[in-house]
Amino acid sequence: MNKMDRALLELQLDQDTMYDTFRKIDANIDAIITSYGAAGGPERMVGPVEGTVGFGSGLLGWAFSLKQFADTYTKKDKAKCDKYIQKLWGDHFIDGQGKWSKQAGEGRTRGFCKLILDQTGP
């Protein structure tokens, strides 16, 4: 997904809105792929967890994948990295002490917002 710089700097979307926008774009692409795919053929979906979606800014010349952040947070430990990627997308929330939950709540922030958008924001 390109033009993250625009979402961050020009539109100044809050993190939850930005995550929802990215999630909707991903779902729309999957719907297009499904509608044009061959009936009975292999299901080809894209997604950040699968490693087929990256995020970036062509204007500013940077891009990243969930795997790159997971590698950083797990110090490239493959077993931990694969699990961590799952937590960086979807309904996975982290609190101030670093404890994960699948439910939003007081003091919890979506993993993508806390561990990625906080690092890339202005």
PDB file of all heavy atoms in Angstrom, residues 98-115:
ATOM      1  N   GLY A  98       3.161  -4.457  28.011  1.00  0.00           N
ATOM      2  CA  GLY A  98       3.563  -5.385  26.957  1.00  0.00           C
ATOM      3  C   GLY A  98       2.767  -6.678  26.920  1.00  0.00           C
ATOM      4  O   GLY A  98       3.149  -7.622  26.233  1.00  0.00           O
ATOM      5  N   LYS A  99       1.645  -6.728  27.624  1.00  0.00           N
ATOM      6  CA  LYS A  99       0.798  -7.928  27.619  1.00  0.00           C
ATOM      7  C   LYS A  99      -0.214  -7.813  26.490  1.00  0.00           C
ATOM      8  O   LYS A  99      -0.821  -6.770  26.277  1.00  0.00           O
ATOM      9  CB  LYS A  99       0.091  -8.098  28.963  1.00  0.00           C
ATOM     10  CG  LYS A  99       1.066  -8.371  30.077  1.00  0.00           C
ATOM     11  CD  LYS A  99       0.366  -8.686  31.358  1.00  0.00           C
ATOM     12  CE  LYS A  99       1.442  -8.888  32.417  1.00  0.00           C
ATOM     13  NZ  LYS A  99       0.939  -9.467  33.608  1.00  0.00           N
ATOM     14  N   TRP A 100      -0.401  -8.929  25.778  1.00  0.00           N
ATOM     15  CA  TRP A 100      -1.286  -8.977  24.613  1.00  0.00           C
ATOM     16  C   TRP A 100      -2.672  -9.470  24.982  1.00  0.00           C
ATOM     17  O   TRP A 100      -2.832 -10.293  25.886  1.00  0.00           O
ATOM     18  CB  TRP A 100      -0.699  -9.905  23.554  1.00  0.00           C
ATOM     19  CG  TRP A 100       0.506  -9.344  22.888  1.00  0.00           C
ATOM     20  CD1 TRP A 100       1.807  -9.541  23.250  1.00  0.00           C
ATOM     21  CD2 TRP A 100       0.534  -8.500  21.745  1.00  0.00           C
ATOM     22  NE1 TRP A 100       2.646  -8.859  22.400  1.00  0.00           N
ATOM     23  CE2 TRP A 100       1.890  -8.212  21.461  1.00  0.00           C
ATOM     24  CE3 TRP A 100      -0.443  -7.945  20.932  1.00  0.00           C
ATOM     25  CZ2 TRP A 100       2.283  -7.413  20.403  1.00  0.00           C
ATOM     26  CZ3 TRP A 100      -0.060  -7.152  19.871  1.00  0.00           C
ATOM     27  CH2 TRP A 100       1.296  -6.882  19.611  1.00  0.00           C
ATOM     28  N   SER A 101      -3.673  -8.990  24.255  1.00  0.00           N
ATOM     29  CA  SER A 101      -5.057  -9.431  24.411  1.00  0.00           C
ATOM     30  C   SER A 101      -5.721  -9.393  23.040  1.00  0.00           C
ATOM     31  O   SER A 101      -5.323  -8.624  22.171  1.00  0.00           O
ATOM     32  CB  SER A 101      -5.799  -8.494  25.368  1.00  0.00           C
ATOM     33  OG  SER A 101      -7.175  -8.823  25.419  1.00  0.00           O
ATOM     34  N   LYS A 102      -6.736 -10.206  22.853  1.00  0.00           N
ATOM     35  CA  LYS A 102      -7.497 -10.175  21.601  1.00  0.00           C
ATOM     36  C   LYS A 102      -8.705  -9.256  21.709  1.00  0.00           C
ATOM     37  O   LYS A 102      -9.499  -9.170  20.788  1.00  0.00           O
ATOM     38  CB  LYS A 102      -7.934 -11.589  21.212  1.00  0.00           C
ATOM     39  CG  LYS A 102      -6.770 -12.436  20.748  1.00  0.00           C
ATOM     40  CD  LYS A 102      -7.245 -13.734  20.151  1.00  0.00           C
ATOM     41  CE  LYS A 102      -6.049 -14.492  19.600  1.00  0.00           C
ATOM     42  NZ  LYS A 102      -6.440 -15.590  18.765  1.00  0.00           N
ATOM     43  N   GLN A 103      -8.820  -8.561  22.838  1.00  0.00           N
ATOM     44  CA  GLN A 103      -9.950  -7.654  23.031  1.00  0.00           C
ATOM     45  C   GLN A 103      -9.441  -6.252  23.331  1.00  0.00           C
ATOM     46  O   GLN A 103      -8.503  -6.072  24.104  1.00  0.00           O
ATOM     47  CB  GLN A 103     -10.826  -8.137  24.182  1.00  0.00           C
ATOM     48  CG  GLN A 103     -11.468  -9.476  23.908  1.00  0.00           C
ATOM     49  CD  GLN A 103     -12.319  -9.942  25.071  1.00  0.00           C
ATOM     50  OE1 GLN A 103     -12.421  -9.298  26.090  1.00  0.00           O
ATOM     51  NE2 GLN A 103     -12.944 -11.097  24.892  1.00  0.00           N
ATOM     52  N   ALA A 104     -10.082  -5.276  22.701  1.00  0.00           N
ATOM     53  CA  ALA A 104      -9.754  -3.887  22.994  1.00  0.00           C
ATOM     54  C   ALA A 104     -10.205  -3.577  24.414  1.00  0.00           C
ATOM     55  O   ALA A 104     -11.102  -4.224  24.947  1.00  0.00           O
ATOM     56  CB  ALA A 104     -10.461  -2.970  21.998  1.00  0.00           C
ATOM     57  N   GLY A 105      -9.585  -2.628  25.022  1.00  0.00           N
ATOM     58  CA  GLY A 105      -9.971  -2.240  26.372  1.00  0.00           C
ATOM     59  C   GLY A 105      -9.151  -1.061  26.839  1.00  0.00           C
ATOM     60  O   GLY A 105      -8.257  -0.577  26.137  1.00  0.00           O
ATOM     61  N   GLU A 106      -9.475  -0.618  28.018  1.00  0.00           N
ATOM     62  CA  GLU A 106      -8.774   0.515  28.618  1.00  0.00           C
ATOM     63  C   GLU A 106      -7.270   0.249  28.674  1.00  0.00           C
ATOM     64  O   GLU A 106      -6.835  -0.794  29.155  1.00  0.00           O
ATOM     65  CB  GLU A 106      -9.308   0.761  30.030  1.00  0.00           C
ATOM     66  CG  GLU A 106      -8.629   1.874  30.751  1.00  0.00           C
ATOM     67  CD  GLU A 106      -9.512   3.092  30.910  1.00  0.00           C
ATOM     68  OE1 GLU A 106     -10.722   2.991  30.692  1.00  0.00           O
ATOM     69  OE2 GLU A 106      -8.959   4.123  31.253  1.00  0.00           O
ATOM     70  N   GLY A 107      -6.512   1.185  28.149  1.00  0.00           N
ATOM     71  CA  GLY A 107      -5.058   1.069  28.192  1.00  0.00           C
ATOM     72  C   GLY A 107      -4.460   0.130  27.156  1.00  0.00           C
ATOM     73  O   GLY A 107      -3.254  -0.102  27.159  1.00  0.00           O
ATOM     74  N   ARG A 108      -5.287  -0.416  26.275  1.00  0.00           N
ATOM     75  CA  ARG A 108      -4.793  -1.321  25.231  1.00  0.00           C
ATOM     76  C   ARG A 108      -4.834  -0.629  23.878  1.00  0.00           C
ATOM     77  O   ARG A 108      -5.780   0.077  23.573  1.00  0.00           O
ATOM     78  CB  ARG A 108      -5.631  -2.593  25.163  1.00  0.00           C
ATOM     79  CG  ARG A 108      -5.529  -3.447  26.395  1.00  0.00           C
ATOM     80  CD  ARG A 108      -6.321  -4.726  26.206  1.00  0.00           C
ATOM     81  NE  ARG A 108      -6.450  -5.418  27.473  1.00  0.00           N
ATOM     82  CZ  ARG A 108      -7.507  -6.110  27.836  1.00  0.00           C
ATOM     83  NH1 ARG A 108      -8.537  -6.217  27.013  1.00  0.00           N
ATOM     84  NH2 ARG A 108      -7.545  -6.707  28.988  1.00  0.00           N
ATOM     85  N   THR A 109      -3.802  -0.877  23.090  1.00  0.00           N
ATOM     86  CA  THR A 109      -3.700  -0.297  21.758  1.00  0.00           C
ATOM     87  C   THR A 109      -3.495  -1.425  20.757  1.00  0.00           C
ATOM     88  O   THR A 109      -2.768  -2.381  21.049  1.00  0.00           O
ATOM     89  CB  THR A 109      -2.499   0.676  21.683  1.00  0.00           C
ATOM     90  OG1 THR A 109      -2.628   1.630  22.726  1.00  0.00           O
ATOM     91  CG2 THR A 109      -2.426   1.376  20.352  1.00  0.00           C
ATOM     92  N   ARG A 110      -4.098  -1.323  19.596  1.00  0.00           N
ATOM     93  CA  ARG A 110      -3.907  -2.317  18.545  1.00  0.00           C
ATOM     94  C   ARG A 110      -2.413  -2.451  18.267  1.00  0.00           C
ATOM     95  O   ARG A 110      -1.699  -1.456  18.172  1.00  0.00           O
ATOM     96  CB  ARG A 110      -4.659  -1.894  17.285  1.00  0.00           C
ATOM     97  CG  ARG A 110      -4.653  -2.935  16.188  1.00  0.00           C
ATOM     98  CD  ARG A 110      -5.461  -2.493  14.988  1.00  0.00           C
ATOM     99  NE  ARG A 110      -6.847  -2.167  15.307  1.00  0.00           N
ATOM    100  CZ  ARG A 110      -7.812  -3.072  15.459  1.00  0.00           C
ATOM    101  NH1 ARG A 110      -7.563  -4.346  15.302  1.00  0.00           N
ATOM    102  NH2 ARG A 110      -9.039  -2.689  15.738  1.00  0.00           N
ATOM    103  N   GLY A 111      -1.933  -3.681  18.123  1.00  0.00           N
ATOM    104  CA  GLY A 111      -0.507  -3.931  17.901  1.00  0.00           C
ATOM    105  C   GLY A 111       0.055  -3.167  16.720  1.00  0.00           C
ATOM    106  O   GLY A 111       1.141  -2.587  16.796  1.00  0.00           O
ATOM    107  N   PHE A 112      -0.669  -3.134  15.590  1.00  0.00           N
ATOM    108  CA  PHE A 112      -0.204  -2.416  14.407  1.00  0.00           C
ATOM    109  C   PHE A 112      -0.011  -0.935  14.725  1.00  0.00           C
ATOM    110  O   PHE A 112       0.989  -0.327  14.315  1.00  0.00           O
ATOM    111  CB  PHE A 112      -1.214  -2.591  13.264  1.00  0.00           C
ATOM    112  CG  PHE A 112      -0.806  -1.934  11.977  1.00  0.00           C
ATOM    113  CD1 PHE A 112       0.088  -2.563  11.119  1.00  0.00           C
ATOM    114  CD2 PHE A 112      -1.314  -0.700  11.612  1.00  0.00           C
ATOM    115  CE1 PHE A 112       0.471  -1.964   9.920  1.00  0.00           C
ATOM    116  CE2 PHE A 112      -0.948  -0.089  10.419  1.00  0.00           C
ATOM    117  CZ  PHE A 112      -0.046  -0.732   9.573  1.00  0.00           C
ATOM    118  N   CYS A 113      -0.935  -0.364  15.457  1.00  0.00           N
ATOM    119  CA  CYS A 113      -0.858   1.065  15.780  1.00  0.00           C
ATOM    120  C   CYS A 113       0.299   1.356  16.727  1.00  0.00           C
ATOM    121  O   CYS A 113       1.091   2.267  16.491  1.00  0.00           O
ATOM    122  CB  CYS A 113      -2.169   1.537  16.391  1.00  0.00           C
ATOM    123  SG  CYS A 113      -3.583   1.401  15.276  1.00  0.00           S
ATOM    124  N   LYS A 114       0.410   0.569  17.774  1.00  0.00           N
ATOM    125  CA  LYS A 114       1.425   0.818  18.800  1.00  0.00           C
ATOM    126  C   LYS A 114       2.837   0.511  18.300  1.00  0.00           C
ATOM    127  O   LYS A 114       3.763   1.290  18.512  1.00  0.00           O
ATOM    128  CB  LYS A 114       1.106  -0.029  20.042  1.00  0.00           C
ATOM    129  CG  LYS A 114       2.113   0.045  21.142  1.00  0.00           C
ATOM    130  CD  LYS A 114       2.045   1.365  21.846  1.00  0.00           C
ATOM    131  CE  LYS A 114       2.996   1.382  23.033  1.00  0.00           C
ATOM    132  NZ  LYS A 114       3.097   2.712  23.586  1.00  0.00           N
ATOM    133  N   LEU A 115       3.009  -0.628  17.684  1.00  0.00           N
ATOM    134  CA  LEU A 115       4.355  -1.101  17.355  1.00  0.00           C
ATOM    135  C   LEU A 115       4.829  -0.733  15.959  1.00  0.00           C
ATOM    136  O   LEU A 115       6.018  -0.866  15.661  1.00  0.00           O
ATOM    137  CB  LEU A 115       4.431  -2.616  17.556  1.00  0.00           C
ATOM    138  CG  LEU A 115       4.146  -3.062  18.998  1.00  0.00           C
ATOM    139  CD1 LEU A 115       4.080  -4.570  19.077  1.00  0.00           C
ATOM    140  CD2 LEU A 115       5.156  -2.498  19.961  1.00  0.00           C
TER     141      LEU A 115
END
